[in-house]
Amino acid sequence: MSHTIHHLRKARLQRSELAVPGSNPTMIEKAAESAADYVFLDIEDAVAPPDKEQARKNIIEALNDIDWRGLGKTVSVRINGLDTHYMYRDVVDVMEQAGDKLDTILVPKVGVSADLYMVEAMVNQIEMAKGYETRVGLEALIETALGMANVEEIARYGSRLEAMHFGVADYAAFCRARTVNIGGLNPDYPGDQWHFALSRMTVACRAYGLRAIDGPFGDFSDPDGYRAGARRAAALGIEGKWAIHPSQIELANEIFSPPAAEVDRAERIIVALREAEEQGKGAAALDGKMIDAASERMARNVLVVNDAIKAAEAARAAAAAE
């Protein structure tokens, strides 16, 4: 193995990520009580220009008034793009008024790593000025042709960057791809037209220690279509998917949670390899199949996710009992 290894920068349970428009306080309150691992409060595409200022105020109020961490939630804010006049005020107001309650900032339409540097410079200064003891992470939304062309360079950025998300809707628009539904498949394409983009982003994430997250599936009346897309993403190594409707939360949690049989096999792989090691062997057989060090790495990935799910469920149960 290479001496250059980028370990996971920040582990967070992110099977389901509920998108919530900041312009709707009722939806924000419901999101806090939902089964979503992650909630991102949106000031960008889900909010019309005349409503952005009020949405920002709603989000600040929700960050301060709701105990997101106590409810077992990771909470993020999607700011407006760097090419708008809303972005600087999003960062300044949210960070100055509620930065110690925020986990990450989701930066849309990241095209080059310098886009992240601009946001990070502002976040650094505000955290120092306010004396926050918490540290807000950054997540990059890869949804333009430029962003995908530079995805490895963006992943190398480091510092506060924790994850990348694939924004299929804008990506389709920038590539002028023909699609019938956000995240859906065009029947004229022989297979999954998003496979290349998802795979490339996932490889970049894993090479540089980032979490890889799939974006939206627009037809929330089609749970089977959502499941199919989530399964394809999970097969590539992606660890979660957006939910643009509450009905999609359980679907994401289902697909991105390791089944009980998979957890059991992972545990047995660890035991079998330890027994083989004691006998001076580097490999072993389990259920008629060869297992080795790579099998152990895959098994430990499964067990880490399973442990994170148990911890989140325990936190939510404790919060519900209070």
Side-chain angles (χ1 to χ4, degrees):
M1 184 178 288
S2 171
H3 285 291
T4 302
I5 301 172
H6 298 275
H7 297 289
L8 184 64
R9 293 177 191 163
K10 181 72 175 182
R12 297 186 192 268
L13 187 62
Q14 202 165 355
R15 298 168 299 170
S16 53
E17 178 148 357
L18 181 61
V20 185
S23 53
N24 193 322
T26 300
M27 290 181 68
I28 295 175
E29 292 175 6
K30 290 181 178 178
E33 301 297 332
S34 74
D37 295 330
Y38 228 88
V39 173
F40 83 76
L41 307 176
D42 195 14
I43 327 177
E44 198 215 13
D45 282 356
V47 179
D51 299 327
K52 289 188 184 292
E53 184 174 349
Q54 185 60 49
R56 192 185 301 129
K57 293 177 181 178
N58 294 342
I59 287 171
I60 292 167
E61 183 176 353
L63 289 171
N64 285 316
D65 292 350
I66 298 173
D67 183 8
W68 298 91
R69 291 164 188 161
L71 292 169
K73 294 277 186 295
T74 299
V75 63
S76 179
V77 170
R78 179 166 70 168
I79 60 173
N80 283 282
L82 275 66
D83 59 334
T84 73
H85 66 278
Y86 304 108
M87 170 267 177
Y88 84 97
R89 185 52 60 190
D90 292 342
V91 176
V92 171
D93 287 2
V94 171
M95 283 300 303
E96 286 191 341
Q97 298 177 48
D100 57 341
K101 310 291 176 53
L102 182 63
D103 293 307
T104 71
I105 291 175
L106 179 57
V107 185
K109 299 177 180 64
V110 174
V112 295
S113 60
D115 296 341
L116 296 172
Y117 180 84
M118 179 177 182
V119 177
E120 179 152 15
M122 297 173 69
V123 171
N124 282 342
Q125 292 181 44
I126 296 169
E127 282 186 349
M128 287 188 290
K130 299 293 289 186
Y132 291 147
E133 296 182 1
T134 54
R135 178 180 168 88
V136 172
L138 297 183
E139 299 179 80
L141 188 46
I142 304 301
E143 53 183 337
T144 68
L146 180 63
M148 191 59 69
N150 292 321
V151 70
E152 290 86 4
E153 179 242 342
I154 295 166
R156 281 197 298 268
Y157 175 72
S159 195
R160 292 175 185 263
L161 184 61
E162 298 181 5
M164 285 186 174
H165 301 238
F166 177 52
V168 65
D170 275 301
Y171 183 77
F174 275 93
C175 290
R176 300 187 182 183
R178 293 182 177 180
T179 181
V180 294
N181 165 44
I182 293 174
L185 303 181
N186 188 321
D188 293 332
Y189 188 88
D192 181 355
Q193 71 204 83
W194 314 120
H195 174 87
F196 169 76
L198 281 168
S199 183
R200 183 176 181 185
M201 186 193 78
T202 302
V203 170
C205 284
R206 298 313 180 192
Y208 294 100
L210 305 176
R211 303 185 305 276
I213 308 298
D214 192 13
F217 183 82
D219 187 356
F220 53 80
S221 67
D222 181 13
D224 290 338
Y226 184 96
R227 284 193 183 94
R231 288 194 181 101
R232 291 193 298 271
L236 292 173
I238 286 174
E239 58 198 84
K241 185 170 177 61
W242 288 15
I244 62 167
H245 188 273
S247 65
Q248 295 178 335
I249 296 171
E250 291 297 344
L251 303 179
N253 287 346
E254 169 197 338
I255 301 301
F256 293 100
S257 296
E262 192 174 326
V263 173
D264 176 69
R265 177 173 168 77
E267 292 172 340
R268 291 190 295 120
I269 286 172
I270 302 299
V271 172
L273 287 174
R274 291 291 76 78
E275 292 174 350
E277 185 179 320
E278 291 171 0
Q279 299 170 20
K281 301 176 182 178
L286 182 67
D287 301 333
K289 298 177 182 178
M290 189 274 288
I291 57 173
D292 59 9
S295 305
E296 180 174 355
R297 285 190 287 272
M298 290 186 286
R300 292 199 181 280
N301 287 339
V302 170
L303 297 178
V304 165
V305 173
N306 191 58
D307 288 345
I309 292 170
K310 288 181 178 179
E313 290 174 346
R316 289 169 189 161
E322 291 180 356

